[in-house]
Amino acid sequence: MHERLAVHKASREREAGQAVLSFAGHEPYPPVSWAMHAAPWLFERMLVTVTTNVPGPRKQLHLLGRPMVALYPYVPIALRLRIGVAVLSYHDRLAFGVTADFDSVPDVDIVVRAIEEDLDQLGKAVPGKEGSRAAYRRRR
């Protein structure tokens, strides 16, 4: 992953995007508008998934005087994004959220099951934590 990110950063794609946006500020609106709307479709398969982790509060929060039992993360699906996986820690527990574009990834359950299986293996690998597997629940 580190090597792939290094290659991506070295490609200077971000700088190219900024140059295009800067150029767009000096050109007539109609052709620039057309190009900006067409560009995501030209590179539709370049970005497939994103995974993120967000450290949340370790202490329990309250809302309207009631304790918040859990927080679940969500990654919105965007133009070139097909699968989003988010991990959020809250009150010393982890919650995983998997979002997918059903038209592109109708079998997203495979990803969810793989996460569940890996969590099971990690739970079994921790000495003295019998049954630590799961404080997870599947939500749809």
Side-chain angles (χ1 to χ4, degrees):
M1 182 59 75
H2 177 72
E3 290 173 10
R4 286 185 178 185
L5 285 173
V7 168
H8 176 68
K9 289 176 183 176
S11 75
R12 304 184 63 94
E13 182 179 327
R14 186 175 71 93
E15 289 85 353
Q18 287 177 334
V20 169
L21 290 175
S22 174
F23 177 74
H26 303 289
E27 296 303 315
Y29 179 76
V32 169
S33 175
W34 177 86
M36 296 301 277
H37 283 89
W41 301 109
L42 297 175
F43 305 104
E44 183 175 321
R45 299 290 179 199
M46 285 180 63
L47 178 62
V48 176
T49 187
V50 66
T51 303
T52 183
N53 67 310
V54 179
R58 295 189 77 176
K59 64 179 184 168
Q60 190 166 38
L61 301 177
H62 291 76
L63 181 64
L64 299 174
R66 297 236 155 136
M68 292 180 62
V69 177
L71 293 175
Y72 296 99
Y74 171 72
V75 176
I77 298 302
L79 287 175
R80 296 187 296 168
L81 183 62
R82 301 293 175 242
I83 300 174
V85 179
V87 183
L88 173 72
S89 63
Y90 169 65
H91 199 221
D92 290 333
R93 295 180 116 174
L94 291 179
F96 289 76
V98 179
T99 310
D101 171 27
F102 188 75
D103 291 336
S104 300
V105 191
D107 52 358
V108 71
D109 280 357
I110 293 171
V111 173
V112 173
R113 280 194 304 274
I115 291 170
E116 290 172 343
E117 290 170 8
D118 286 348
L119 288 173
D120 280 344
Q121 289 178 3
L122 284 171
K124 291 173 185 173
V126 177
K129 294 287 184 179
E130 294 298 320
S132 66
R133 168 189 195 244
Y136 69 81
R137 293 187 189 119
R138 215 174 219 197
R139 305 266 187 215
R140 293 193 182 256

